[in-house]
Amino acid sequence: MASSENSTTNIAKDAIVIAEVVHSTAKFDVNQLTKQTPNASSYGDVSSTSNNLVNSRLEFIGVEHQEGITSNVYRSPNGTKYWTHDVCIEDKPVLGMIFDKWEDVVTMYESYAKKAGFSTHLGAMKKLNDVITHRYMMCTRAEYQWIEKAIPVAVPGNSSFIVYEFVESHNHGLVDKHNMDLTRKRRKLSFSDQQFIHKLSLNRIGPAVAHKLQSSLKGGHHNVHDTLEARTVNLQNFFFEFTVISGELRSLFWADDVSKLNYIEFGDVIAFDATYNTNKYNMIFVPFTGVDHHKRCVTFGAGLLYNETVESYKWLLECFLKAHKKQPKLVLTDQDASMKQAVAIVFHESIHRLCMWHIMKKLPSKISSDLLDNTNLRSSIHKLVWNLFITSSMFEENWKLLIDEYDLDDHAWLKDMYAIREQWVPCYFRDIPLCCLMKTTSRCESSNALFKINSNGANTFVQFLLCFDTAIDGQWYNQRKLEFESNTTTPLLLTDLPIERQASEIYTWNIFLEVQKEIFKGKNRCLIANTVEVDGNKVYTVGHTNRRFEVVNEFKVTLDLHDKSVSCSCVGITRIGYLCRHVFFVFRFNQIQRILNQYLPTRWRKNVLPKSVYSISNRYSIDTSEDSILRNEILELNHIFEEYPNEPDYNKKISVIGDLIGQSQPGNILYTAPQGIRNKGCGMSRRLIGPGEKAVEKSKKKNPRLCRTCFKWVTDHDSRNCLEKKKKYDAAVTVVVVAAAAADPATDPGAADPGAADPC
């Protein structure tokens, strides 16, 4: 992605320096090269000399190690970072190399790119009198031929190609071998995949579903023995526990190595919620959800429970704590009484927070619709409880004013919610780190929906675990893809401030976009209202303006002039984990051009997770260690020496099922599936409708209106189509007909024939 105009100018200056060094030390006379065939190794000194001169112009930062890739990182005088890969000199392109065919050039450079950690594409082509004289190959991330790695190849004649220029540095991070499938060149479907999707489309199966089917068929879970006991042996650091009562499985919890690594970095705030209809035994599924450094949902583990008692949730949380070794800082749940008691017992060091959405959605059912619809009570309550910038004392004061205004002093539900205000109102959590990361259990609902896409209520435990693995694979793939994009792309810069460039190099893409918004608004939407100096610290009153540049709020920013430490009354660094626009404005005012390390938490940085998370062993749930490979080979050899059966196994149904799920039928069944589980709301032919939903449906009904004909308050008619109006009309027509008959005797049959009136 392109950079801003100013940052592009800086990159151009750095790249021109590199190009000048290369030209001054490694430029060759093409005519001289065509007279004698050079030895490729003899040009190694020239290439290394060029690199030494280039690196002498740059500041060496350090070395980055990835799986199979090692790169040196440099910074130019203008602040641009460059990566050069540490590849053997025999594998690098050498100036002066001669190739007979262009295909040989492509093969050589692509082989080098694979080892170096980038993908290639064909660049520009120069012609003279319709004859090709120069051709370029470069990195797929190249925007300018002199910025990225490129090999200009001179074409002196029709017989050979000569490498006469080689730019080695990249302005983006390199890709390890396990993530090369995410590069632009590798991100394509093979012919077999395209053929598979095409054949399914002929049977009315769309490409999205077809691709999911192909991913499942080609996935790595065929290498897994789908028993949790086998996973503890085959998979590294896999944890699970279960309880059995009278031979029936009652509860189960599991967490793999990737979940544990994610919890180490992102386990400060977690949420969990129960969901139903995921298996045929009606066991309650409880996943634990958090937020990763891309602000995406990440799963820390999951459990299955027999019921939702305090003892069940207590056992589940104890297993979670046993697997992850530390308690979270903040735990988010709904208002379930069993969850609340279990959290208080097990997570005694954590702060328990209730979901705001579950509380606020009850508002229509607890307060009369007439009061909510005809007054500003609803908007006033929402505006008060969702305010992030007020203090607890301000909230309590405004709450009392609101209650007095609408005469709700005796309202029981509002009294109860006010009594537990410290458990759900945001202003009481403003001093807790990352309190704004999750305020509702909506991420739990999102995770539950993700798992239900791949699972249904008819699945057995083995099928459910396979569906769970499929959903987790998709979650890990999205995380790996976002990590790849953060490391290999350059975001668009909106300002010329060095602090924005620093943020783009440190934060992940999604977090940088939020930080960039704060930097931009700090530059364009903030102003200083007042400045005082207290005990050697400068205290700025920063005005926050809207789009019309009207001051809507003011915050106090305190800056220590000695160590440049800063604090803001909006406590943005505590609430969201990065600096706010008010601090960035004060930094710019005092010409502070870099973010201090204490304001750069590791959870929002790139590459915060170890590279093993994206390794093949974790992506395909297999153990690639030497011991595991040797053990698998021994097991395969055992099948060779088995006695050949009289009847082939593939004719037996049980063998087919075993091949499908990757696990043979056990000889002895130790535990059976639970029976007789009844979830909340079961036992009726239709689902239960809560009071909140009833209130919403009731609010959708029409308000009664006064009919001017029948003078009743109704919702099904008005004066135009009132039945009383029709009755009056019919009565009026009858009166008119009778009056006409009385006025004209000839029209009266009785008058025309007196005898007919009395036939007797």
Side-chain angles (χ1 to χ4, degrees), residues 230-480:
R231 292 191 180 193
T232 58
V233 177
N234 296 325
L235 301 182
Q236 181 182 4
N237 204 18
F238 185 86
F239 175 88
F240 89 100
E241 278 199 6
F242 63 97
T243 59
V244 176
I245 298 177
S246 301
E248 289 188 1
L249 179 67
R250 289 304 180 97
S251 52
L252 176 67
F253 173 81
W254 69 95
D256 55 24
D257 184 48
V258 177
S259 299
K260 293 182 179 181
L261 293 174
N262 277 296
Y263 183 79
I264 292 175
E265 301 297 338
F266 315 123
D268 36 21
V269 181
I270 70 168
F272 67 94
D273 191 18
T275 186
Y276 312 97
N277 297 327
T278 59
N279 55 85
K280 65 184 298 183
Y281 312 108
N282 292 328
M283 293 193 76
I284 300 100
F285 177 53
V286 186
F288 292 85
T289 306
V291 182
D292 66 4
H293 55 324
H294 302 287
K295 279 207 168 180
R296 296 297 181 91
C297 293
V298 59
T299 302
F300 300 135
L304 290 170
L305 298 178
Y306 183 85
N307 52 31
E308 295 185 79
T309 61
V310 178
E311 291 74 16
S312 296
Y313 280 119
K314 179 175 175 292
W315 176 88
L316 183 66
L317 297 181
E318 287 175 348
C319 291
F320 182 89
L321 190 57
K322 185 176 180 181
H324 294 296
K325 309 299 182 185
K326 68 173 184 177
Q327 299 184 20
K329 297 178 182 178
L330 192 63
V331 181
L332 188 67
T333 67
D334 57 19
Q335 286 183 280
D336 186 272
S338 300
M339 288 184 182
K340 187 175 181 180
Q341 295 181 49
V343 169
I345 295 172
V346 181
F347 292 155
H348 52 83
E349 298 178 2
S350 306
I351 298 175
H352 187 200
R353 183 173 186 174
L354 300 178
C355 174
M356 289 191 63
W357 180 81
H358 282 89
I359 294 177
M360 297 305 296
K361 79 167 187 175
K362 297 178 182 178
L363 200 63
S365 63
K366 301 297 182 179
I367 302 177
S368 65
S369 58
D370 182 62
L371 184 61
L372 287 178
D373 296 337
N374 299 324
T375 64
N376 296 325
L377 177 61
R378 185 200 302 266
S379 60
S380 299
I381 292 179
H382 279 277
K383 187 180 297 184
L384 178 60
V385 299
W386 288 99
N387 196 334
L388 301 174
F389 301 108
I390 62 174
T391 61
S392 57
S393 58
M394 293 174 60
F395 170 80
E396 294 171 0
E397 180 181 351
N398 292 333
W399 179 273
K400 292 179 181 179
L401 294 175
L402 185 65
I403 296 298
D404 294 338
E405 180 181 355
Y406 293 97
D407 194 20
L408 296 172
D409 297 305
D410 298 329
H411 197 284
W413 183 77
L414 290 178
K415 280 186 177 181
D416 294 338
M417 293 302 100
Y418 183 74
I420 61 171
R421 61 190 180 279
E422 297 180 354
Q423 299 179 18
W424 64 280
V425 179
C427 66
Y428 289 92
F429 299 90
R430 66 196 310 265
D431 295 328
I432 300 173
L434 299 174
C435 62
C436 290
L437 199 59
M438 286 192 291
K439 297 185 286 293
T440 68
T441 56
S442 58
R443 289 187 178 270
C444 291
E445 303 292 341
S446 176
S447 297
N448 294 343
L450 172 66
F451 293 127
K452 285 188 175 182
I453 290 176
N454 300 289
S455 182
N456 58 67
N459 285 340
T460 63
F461 282 147
V462 174
Q463 292 172 322
F464 171 75
L465 287 175
L466 290 174
C467 294
F468 176 83
D469 291 337
T470 301
I472 291 296
D473 280 345
Q475 188 181 96
W476 291 351
Y477 174 78
N478 291 331
Q479 187 185 64
R480 185 169 68 95

Side-chain angles (χ1 to χ4, degrees), residues 103-116:
E103 290 75 12
D104 296 338
V105 180
V106 174
T107 301
M108 178 273 301
Y109 196 57
E110 287 186 347
S111 175
Y112 164 70
K114 182 178 180 181
K115 296 177 181 179

Side-chain angles (χ1 to χ4, degrees), residues 4 10 19 123 272 334 407 436 477 619 625 674 677 684 724:
S4 64
N10 294 336
F272 67 94
D334 57 19
D407 194 20
C436 290
Y477 174 78
R619 282 162 52 187
S625 63
I677 297 179
M684 299 183 63
E724 294 294 332

Side-chain angles (χ1 to χ4, degrees), residues 660-712:
L660 288 176
I661 66 175
Q663 177 66 29
S664 59
Q665 184 181 19
N668 297 323
I669 299 178
L670 301 178
Y671 316 116
T672 60
Q675 303 293 331
I677 297 179
R678 296 178 62 82
N679 299 145
K680 293 180 179 179
C682 66
M684 299 183 63
S685 59
R686 59 183 180 86
R687 68 181 183 88
L688 293 177
I689 300 178
E693 188 173 354
K694 289 181 180 179
V696 172
E697 293 296 330
K698 185 178 179 181
S699 64
K700 293 180 180 179
K701 297 180 180 179
K702 295 181 179 180
N703 294 326
R705 297 186 299 178
L706 179 63
C707 177
R708 296 294 180 179
T709 301
C710 62
F711 296 99
K712 295 181 181 179

Side-chain angles (χ1 to χ4, degrees), residues 15 83 222:
W83 286 259
H222 57 277

Side-chain angles (χ1 to χ4, degrees), residues 69-166:
I69 301 294
T70 302
S71 56
N72 300 319
V73 186
Y74 300 88
R75 179 182 286 114
S76 69
N78 289 310
T80 305
K81 292 177 68 175
Y82 288 100
W83 286 259
T84 60
H85 20 68
D86 189 5
V87 181
C88 297
I89 189 65
E90 293 81 6
D91 299 325
K92 288 185 178 182
V94 179
L95 301 178
M97 295 177 66
I98 297 180
F99 299 89
D100 294 333
K101 296 184 297 182
W102 174 249
E103 290 75 12
D104 296 338
V105 180
V106 174
T107 301
M108 178 273 301
Y109 196 57
E110 287 186 347
S111 175
Y112 164 70
K114 182 178 180 181
K115 296 177 181 179
F118 66 97
S119 59
T120 65
H121 74 99
L122 300 180
M125 180 187 303
K126 294 182 180 180
K127 292 184 179 181
L128 180 62
N129 298 328
D130 293 333
V131 177
I132 299 175
T133 59
H134 296 76
R135 300 190 71 170
Y136 290 81
M137 281 194 69
M138 58 188 66
C139 172
T140 53
R141 301 301 309 168
E143 298 172 11
Y144 305 95
Q145 297 173 4
W146 34 262
I147 288 183
E148 293 284 0
K149 172 176 292 292
I151 294 187
V153 180
V155 187
N158 295 328
S159 59
S160 61
F161 296 83
I162 304 172
V163 179
Y164 78 95
E165 186 176 350
F166 174 45

